[in-house]
Amino acid sequence: MGNLMAKISRVGLILILIGGLMLWPSLQDTITSFQAPKSFEDVLEEGAVPGEHVSGRVPYLLDTFASMETWTENSRTHATTSKRTSFRYYVLPGGEGYLGLSVASHSFSSANSLVEQTYACLLEDGGEPTAELIVDARVVEMEEELAQLFREDLQDYYGYTDQDLEAMGTPLLVEPRAFGTIRAFCGVGTALILAGAAALVIRWVRVSARIRRAREEAPGPDLD
């Protein structure tokens, strides 16, 4: 057991662990990022499925159905900062129904303008929306809490029945991702894993050779 532990590189194990922690959450998004992106016009016509890469200008957008607020708390005084809305979730037309679209705070103004122009187009014959909301995203299934808010919104404002919602299954969310940063994390994680594996192999070979030489050089039993 002592020789076995001596052959294992602790640095190699640490590198593999850190690399795995970086690679695991970024690998699927990296694969998605290399897919040919689907346009939002295609989503409008065909809908979407989980795992798809969607990118481009959003042509139409409807009201919000949920928002995410964030704040910080001082662990010593328990004082909290003011709540800040970091994400809003909008209803996005797609296929024969609707999806959710997550929008970060820096795009709220563009999203709200697009909502106003969409309703003007639909209800007032106001012409095609011109607001620029550009999104690079993946399609995922909504988490249950968000999905419940989405279903309630569809039921209250869009005329969906319980049977319609049940037939829909789990609602989908178009979720923007910083694919460039994610690819970098994936690349660094892969490099760390390879470096860790190389460190393990090098130490194993070196220590094994040293142990073998020590055994060969050890004096044999005196037979006189």
Side-chain angles (χ1 to χ4, degrees), residues 159-217:
Y160 277 66
T161 65
D162 290 335
Q163 292 76 18
D164 294 332
L165 296 175
E166 184 175 350
M168 177 190 297
T170 303
L172 301 181
L173 177 69
V174 179
E175 184 177 48
R177 304 294 285 169
F179 284 122
T181 301
I182 290 168
R183 288 177 186 175
F185 263 81
C186 187
V188 172
T190 301
L192 289 175
I193 290 174
L194 293 175
L200 286 171
V201 170
I202 291 170
R203 181 171 179 83
W204 186 279
V205 171
R206 286 179 177 176
V207 174
S208 296
R210 187 168 65 241
I211 293 172
R212 186 166 57 252
R213 286 196 302 271
R215 288 173 177 172
E216 291 173 352
E217 295 169 0

Side-chain angles (χ1 to χ4, degrees), residues 7-211:
K7 294 178 182 179
I8 297 175
S9 168
R10 292 182 179 84
V11 172
L13 290 177
I14 292 172
L15 289 174
I16 290 175
L17 176 60
I18 295 174
L21 292 174
M22 296 181 70
L23 185 63
W24 177 254
S26 62
L27 180 59
Q28 184 56 56
D29 277 352
T30 298
I31 294 171
T32 299
S33 74
F34 285 109
Q35 294 178 4
K38 192 174 193 176
S39 72
F40 280 91
E41 286 78 7
D42 289 337
V43 172
L44 180 64
E45 293 294 326
E46 307 166 7
V49 296
E52 283 188 319
H53 180 191
V54 180
S55 184
R57 177 182 172 273
V58 181
Y60 302 101
L61 196 62
L62 302 177
D63 291 320
T64 60
F65 65 91
S67 62
M68 178 187 294
E69 294 183 332
T70 57
W71 64 91
T72 58
E73 180 178 352
N74 188 307
S75 59
R76 296 177 61 184
T77 65
H78 300 291
T80 59
T81 61
S82 300
K83 293 182 179 180
R84 173 177 173 272
T85 302
S86 54
F87 286 93
R88 288 177 182 161
Y89 299 92
Y90 292 78
V91 177
L92 176 71
E96 297 181 357
Y98 301 96
L99 304 85
L101 174 66
S102 173
V103 176
S105 57
H106 61 81
S107 296
F108 285 170
S109 178
S110 297
N112 292 337
S113 295
L114 182 56
V115 170
E116 292 177 2
Q117 293 175 15
T118 297
Y119 278 106
C121 174
L122 296 176
L123 303 178
E124 303 170 13
D125 197 21
E128 293 294 316
T130 59
E132 291 285 325
L133 179 61
I134 308 299
V135 176
D136 193 17
R138 65 178 182 178
V139 181
V140 297
E141 292 186 349
M142 285 188 194
E143 296 180 358
E144 183 52 40
E145 183 177 358
L146 189 63
Q148 183 58 36
L149 294 172
F150 184 71
R151 294 187 187 101
E152 291 174 0
D153 195 73
L154 293 185
Q155 194 167 37
D156 293 342
Y157 299 105
Y158 296 88
Y160 277 66
T161 65
D162 290 335
Q163 292 76 18
D164 294 332
L165 296 175
E166 184 175 350
M168 177 190 297
T170 303
L172 301 181
L173 177 69
V174 179
E175 184 177 48
R177 304 294 285 169
F179 284 122
T181 301
I182 290 168
R183 288 177 186 175
F185 263 81
C186 187
V188 172
T190 301
L192 289 175
I193 290 174
L194 293 175
L200 286 171
V201 170
I202 291 170
R203 181 171 179 83
W204 186 279
V205 171
R206 286 179 177 176
V207 174
S208 296
R210 187 168 65 241
I211 293 172

